[in-house]
Each structure stands twice: as structure tokens, then as C-alpha cells.
Amino acid sequence: METGLSVRHLIGIKDLSVDDIRLILSTAVRFKEQINQPMKRVPSLRDLTIANAFFENSTRTRLSFELAEKRLSADIVNFSSSSSSVSKGETLLDTINNLIAMKVEMIVMRHPYPGSAYFLSKNVNAQIINAGDGTHEHPTQALLDAFSMMDRTKRDVSEMKIAIIGDIMHSRVALSNIFLLKKLGAEVMVCGPATLIPKHIESLGVIVEHSVEKALEWCDVANVLRIQLERQEAGYFPSLREYALAFGINKTRLNKLTKPITIMHPGPINRGVEINSDVADSEHSIILEQVENGVAIRMAVLYLLAGRM
Ligand code: CP
């Protein structure tokens, strides 16, 4: 029998049990069916007020949370730091406490500082959902990634080999994916230039590979990460062109494989750098399915956390 989540906030995958993750994934299956009906909206969160507080840019995560909240009939307010009094020097705590004074009960927050969601959860009287905190975690991205790979392959994550390719060092998506995939029993490999792979990452139970050809041949699913353009200026690799030559996922590389693999990318994509259009737009790519599934996953997270108020 399904019970509720073991957590009151969603700060990171690290805090979730295997039962929590399985419950979110199975609840999202039901919400995906619901939002594919002509009547997409359900009254589940009719009396709940949610603020989406984004202190860093976002397209997919912000719109996906907003749609998920609307599909669940919540009252919502949207807040972005650039158009708020944060630009006049107001602190994070003051800003969030002002939202709570207006009877906001749940805060979805993206913030550039690792640990900011945890800090809020300890210092304000509202439920907190981490929508990405710096280089730390992006839990709903990892949940929607696992959901999407199972949905496409019709296999459980525990039966899969997943290669995460690109900037592992600075990626909250990589860390949340590693925590989630290892908890569910998958085999996980990370691949990229040595400068973009953290030392001792093997202690998380992942394999390290520096040859993208070997990583692609090994895996069932390749999750390709964005190369953040500022990393080149910081000297992590010589040029974007050389990164693309050594690690870029293109049709030539995929055509040499002995079996087809599923290609994922959390977005936003740098076409021609970490992934070419002939792969991103191919039948093996589930990039837009990830975006579609993100709404159902976020509905599941909001719905289950509301049960822990
Ligand atoms: N995947 C992801 O987090 O995208 P956004 O930055 O557009 O939200």
C-alpha cells in the first residue's frame, strides 16, 4: 500500500528513500494519463498557494512547475529576482518571508548558491522545493530523466546502463542523476575531459571513462550535459571546437555502435558543441519527451508534498 513521502521538503535526491522515488514515479504515471485527457485540470491543490521564486534564469523548469501547479488548481505567484526588490538589496530571507506573509505555503526556488534551498527549509515556515541550487542538486530533473528513460525503453532503471557525458564537475543535473540512478540500482558511468570530472567521484559508485566512443558503446542511455560556455574561458578545455571533436555526440559516432542507444539532454542545448542536430532531432533522442514528462513529475512532487503539510 502506498504511504506518503518520508520528507516534508524536496531539497535533493540524496534525502529521498527508494520508496519515495518509486512513489513519485508511479504517481507521475497517473498524472501523465490525466494531462493527456481533454480535461487536464484536477482540483487536488485547490486551496494551496505556491510561489515560484527564480533567482536564476530558467525556461523548462519554471514553466513546467507553473503548468503543473495550474493543472492541480493551485493559486500561484511568480517571482523573478531581476524584476523584484532583490535588485535593491533585499535579502533572501526577507524576500521569502514577505511571500509567506501573503499566505504562500509552498516555495519552488531556483537559486545560484548551493545549499540555498536547504537554508530556506531550516529558516522559513513554508515547504521548499529545490528547482536547482547552483552546482548542488536539481532533483525534479533527475526524477523526470528516470521517468523518461523507463517510459521510452519500457525497462526498469535497475536493468540499465546510463552514461552521463559532459561537464560533470559543475552539473547539478549530474549529481542528482547519480544519486537517483544508484539508489534505484542502475549502472552509471561518467564521461568527459579529466578537468570536468571531480576527483574521487568513483566513491559515489560510478565508473569513470574518458573515451566517448567507449562510453557510448557501453551504455543503453546517454545523458548528454550542456557545456557551460564560461568553462572554456576558465581553461577547463582548449576550445569549444576541440570539445566537440573529442566529446560531441554526433551521427558519425552513433553509426559506429553495435546497438542503438537512447539519447537524453536536460536542455538548454548548445547545438554543435556537446550534441549535433542530427542526433538531438533524431528518433533516438527523447529530449522533448523529457520536457513533456517534467510536468507530470512536478505534479506528482507537488501533490505528494502537499500531503505532508
Ligand atoms: N533543464 C533545465 O533545468 O532547464 P532550465 O534551466 O531551462 O530550467
Side-chain angles (χ1 to χ4, degrees):
M1 198 180 88
E2 281 179 4
T3 53
L5 292 177
S6 68
V7 291
R8 195 174 159 258
H9 310 278
L10 179 58
I11 306 303
I13 299 294
K14 196 170 183 195
D15 309 321
L16 298 182
S17 67
V18 172
D19 285 348
D20 288 332
I21 295 168
R22 293 280 183 199
L23 178 58
I24 294 168
L25 295 174
S26 61
T27 306
V29 172
R30 298 209 303 270
F31 280 126
K32 184 169 176 179
E33 284 166 13
Q34 178 65 44
I35 58 181
N36 279 296
Q37 304 292 323
M39 294 271 287
K40 298 178 176 56
R41 199 179 281 250
V42 290
S44 311
L45 301 189
R46 202 169 42 205
D47 295 320
L48 191 75
T49 306
I50 304 175
N52 300 308
F54 278 68
F55 295 84
E56 192 187 77
N57 292 344
S58 168
T59 299
R60 280 147 290 271
T61 312
R62 188 172 61 81
L63 294 177
S64 180
F65 265 113
E66 192 175 331
L67 273 173
E69 291 151 6
K70 286 181 172 164
R71 304 274 190 253
L72 291 167
S73 307
D75 284 333
I76 63 171
V77 285
N78 292 312
F79 167 91
S80 71
S81 52
S82 56
S83 59
S84 75
S85 292
V86 168
S87 58
K88 300 178 197 164
E90 191 165 38
T91 67
L92 174 62
L93 271 187
D94 283 339
T95 302
I96 299 298
N97 276 325
N98 274 273
L99 298 178
I100 293 168
M102 293 182 241
K103 309 297 177 210
V104 165
E105 296 152 298
M106 202 181 265
I107 314 268
V108 176
M109 184 175 77
R110 171 167 289 189
H111 200 283
Y113 289 107
S116 47
Y118 175 78
F119 170 77
L120 267 198
S121 72
K122 295 291 172 199
N123 287 287
V124 302
N125 187 22
Q127 285 182 290
I128 307 300
I129 299 178
N130 181 7
D133 61 332
T135 55
H136 178 223
E137 280 225 39
H138 192 349
T140 54
Q141 182 69 46
L143 287 158
L144 75 88
D145 286 347
F147 183 99
S148 301
M149 58 183 90
M150 291 199 287
D151 197 48
R152 168 60 82 101
T153 63
K154 309 297 176 217
R155 291 162 63 192
D156 192 72
V157 165
S158 60
E159 302 161 14
M160 286 187 227
K161 292 178 174 177
I162 297 113
I164 306 172
I165 301 172
D167 182 356
I168 311 299
M169 176 95 84
H170 304 95
S171 172
R172 55 194 173 211
V173 175
L175 191 59
S176 288
N177 262 269
I178 291 168
F179 285 146
L180 187 150
L181 296 169
K182 292 305 298 179
K183 279 180 194 245
L184 294 195
E187 288 185 70
V188 182
M189 176 181 278
V190 293
C191 176
T195 48
L196 292 178
I197 306 248
K199 284 195 178 74
H200 311 303
I201 196 166
E202 295 91 339
S203 64
L204 297 180
V206 302
I207 305 162
V208 175
E209 175 59 68
H210 298 297
S211 156
V212 75
E213 283 80 12
K214 285 184 187 165
L216 293 172
E217 188 57 52
W218 175 85
C219 72
D220 304 306
V221 175
N223 197 351
V224 185
L225 302 181
R226 182 171 71 92
I227 288 300
Q228 298 169 31
L229 304 181
E230 63 273 23
R231 304 293 170 219
Q232 186 203 330
E233 283 147 36
Y236 288 95
F237 51 87
S239 70
L240 292 177
R241 190 165 168 274
E242 280 172 87
Y243 181 87
L245 279 173
F247 291 98
I249 310 302
N250 54 47
K251 203 75 177 177
T252 310
R253 286 201 158 107
L254 294 194
N255 284 344
K256 289 183 184 149
L257 302 181
T258 51
K259 61 174 191 325
I261 61 171
T262 300
I263 301 291
M264 304 176 66
H265 192 306
I269 296 174
N270 290 314
R271 288 177 185 262
V273 182
E274 71 271 1
I275 192 166
N276 278 14
S277 291
D278 57 8
V279 175
D281 304 327
S282 74
E283 72 276 20
H284 301 298
S285 159
I286 60 167
I287 293 170
L288 290 179
E289 289 164 44
Q290 290 171 259
V291 177
E292 179 189 349
N293 294 330
V295 178
I297 281 288
R298 289 171 177 126
M299 287 175 81
V301 165
L302 292 160
Y303 171 78
L304 290 166
L305 283 178
R308 288 289 328 263
M309 290 205 80

